[in-house]
């Protein structure tokens, strides 16, 4: 979606389950409006948080006119994850990513594999989001599947999410990039204050962890790690918002927040 929108609306890391929310990207062009719905990756729920994430996937599949099913070159059919796509009648365009890593006839072989495994896939498009190879073919193919309909959003809108949301996501991305094991998955970011002035945006954020021991790891010796996250997040925000940013962060403990409905509601995962 980031490549197609020309904006980094969804945070990206090499770790699985980085995306937790449904994020819409609204692309307006000459005679068309495409609303991309970027969802969490499909997984078997282990926490209440996972169940909330999968509810975003379910709603998006029900709403979609076209499904972009993105797989990596090395992925294989796993019944518990892909079986739902055998029952869907909505057109599926399977996008096979990471072809820059392909060897020999691997791209052709895997394309044939997916067409055979998921018979209702209309087309397989091999791409590389890293190098941009074939990404330019994605929009024309999408438009060929799209129904005619009046635009859902004004021409000047490009997402359904607020500036506060993107500020929190940028901080969360830097946590995913700087910490290992359970720390990234145990953290949640809330923006407590977002004050925009003519020359600067002043942001105050709270990073929540599940246990006191995680708080110490997140902060680091002499606050070195949390300072590094803050600097990287501030620089990324300045690029995203195109404005000078003042960012302050605090770390608090919210016991087992991933398993508790009232905390998930507080963090915006449940209505």
């Amino acid at each position: 979606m980031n490549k197609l929108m020309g904006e980094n609306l969804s945070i990206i890391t090499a770790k699985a389950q980085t995306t937790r929310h449904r994020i819409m990207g609204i692309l307006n062009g000459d005679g068309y409006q495409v609303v991309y719905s970027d969802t969490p990756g499909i997984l078997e729920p282990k926490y209440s948080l996972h169940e909330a994430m999968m509810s975003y996937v379910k709603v998006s599949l029900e709403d979609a006119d076209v499904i972009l099913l993105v797989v990596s070159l090395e992925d294989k059919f796993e019944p518990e994850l892909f079986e739902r796509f055998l029952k869907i009648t909505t057109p599926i365009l399977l996008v096979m990513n990471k072809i820059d890593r392909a060897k020999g006839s691997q791209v052709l072989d895997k394309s044939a594999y997916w067409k055979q495994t998921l018979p209702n896939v209309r087309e397989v498009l091999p791409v590389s989001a890293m190098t941009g190879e074939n990404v330019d073919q994605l929009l024309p193919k999408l438009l060929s599947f799209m129904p005619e309909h009046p635009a859902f959003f004004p021409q000047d809108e490009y997402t359904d999410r607020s500036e506060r949301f993107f500020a929190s996501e940028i901080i969360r991305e830097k946590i995913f990039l700087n910490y290992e094991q359970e720390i990234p998955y145990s953290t949640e970011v809330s923006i407590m204050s977002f004050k925009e002035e003519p020359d600067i945006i002043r942001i105050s954020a709270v990073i929540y962890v599940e246990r006191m021991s995680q708080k110490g790891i997140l902060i680091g010796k002499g606050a070195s790690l949390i300072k590094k996250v803050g600097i990287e997040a501030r620089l990324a925000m300045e690029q995203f918002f195109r404005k000078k940013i003042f960012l302050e962060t605090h770390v608090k403990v919210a016991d087992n927040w991933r398993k508790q409905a009232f905390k998930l509601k507080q963090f915006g995962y449940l209505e």
Side-chain angles (χ1 to χ4, degrees), residues 39-58:
T39 70
I42 298 170
L43 52 82
E44 285 296 306
K46 295 180 181 178
Y47 308 102
S48 297
L49 171 63
H50 289 167
E51 291 172 2
M53 288 162 60
M54 290 305 94
S55 71
Y56 298 143
V57 175
K58 183 176 183 293

Side-chain angles (χ1 to χ4, degrees), residues 256-269:
N256 293 317
W257 66 265
R258 288 182 291 177
K259 300 178 181 179
Q260 299 184 29
F262 79 96
K263 287 180 179 174
L264 291 172
K265 186 174 182 180
Q266 176 188 337
F267 293 144
Y269 291 101

Side-chain angles (χ1 to χ4, degrees), residues 49-233:
L49 171 63
H50 289 167
E51 291 172 2
M53 288 162 60
M54 290 305 94
S55 71
Y56 298 143
V57 175
K58 183 176 183 293
V59 169
S60 294
L61 290 176
E62 291 170 352
D63 287 351
D65 292 312
V66 183
I67 294 169
L68 280 178
L69 179 56
V70 183
V71 299
S72 295
L73 185 69
E74 66 274 10
D75 285 342
K76 294 182 179 179
F77 181 87
E78 296 178 45
E80 65 273 17
L81 300 182
F82 290 100
E83 203 163 40
R84 72 196 70 199
F85 295 104
L86 295 172
K87 305 169 186 175
I88 287 174
T89 57
T90 305
I92 298 175
L93 174 58
L94 189 136
V95 181
M96 188 167 61
N97 192 22
K98 301 183 182 178
I99 61 169
D100 50 290
R101 301 180 182 181
K103 296 178 181 178
S105 63
Q106 196 174 7
V107 171
L108 290 174
D109 294 343
K110 288 306 290 278
S111 295
Y113 166 82
W114 282 112
K115 284 181 180 178
Q116 184 176 9
T117 309
L118 294 176
N120 53 343
V121 167
R122 295 283 186 91
E123 193 166 345
V124 176
L125 179 62
V127 305
S128 170
M130 176 70 72
T131 66
E133 185 177 356
N134 290 344
V135 172
D136 60 340
Q137 296 181 31
L138 191 46
L139 180 59
K141 289 187 183 297
L142 265 180
L143 293 176
S144 70
F145 290 122
M146 298 289 282
E148 289 191 10
H149 193 280
F152 284 101
F153 296 94
Q155 291 289 311
D156 58 348
E157 286 192 23
Y158 67 94
T159 184
D160 64 329
R161 292 291 182 169
S162 68
E163 291 179 323
R164 281 175 176 257
F165 173 81
F166 289 111
S168 68
E169 285 288 274
I170 288 170
I171 296 170
R172 204 166 60 80
E173 179 184 59
K174 302 313 172 189
I175 292 170
F176 264 75
L177 293 172
N178 281 283
Y179 299 86
E180 296 299 329
Q181 298 177 340
E182 191 65 13
I183 293 295
Y185 301 103
S186 301
T187 56
E188 179 59 34
V189 180
S190 287
I191 303 299
M192 309 308 292
S193 175
F194 189 102
K195 297 179 180 178
E196 188 163 3
E197 299 174 8
D199 300 320
I200 193 170
I201 302 174
R202 300 182 186 276
I203 300 171
S204 177
V206 174
I207 302 171
Y208 291 94
V209 291
E210 290 190 306
R211 296 188 298 276
M212 186 60 71
S213 59
Q214 294 171 344
K215 180 177 179 180
I217 296 170
L218 191 72
I219 292 172
K221 187 176 181 180
S224 58
L225 290 176
I226 194 66
K227 188 179 293 184
K228 184 173 185 286
V229 166
I231 291 170
E232 291 179 4

Side-chain angles (χ1 to χ4, degrees), residues 5 26-34 151-158:
M5 288 292 301
I26 305 160
L27 182 65
N28 291 293
D30 186 16
Y32 66 83
Q33 180 180 86
V34 178
F152 284 101
F153 296 94
Q155 291 289 311
D156 58 348
E157 286 192 23
Y158 67 94

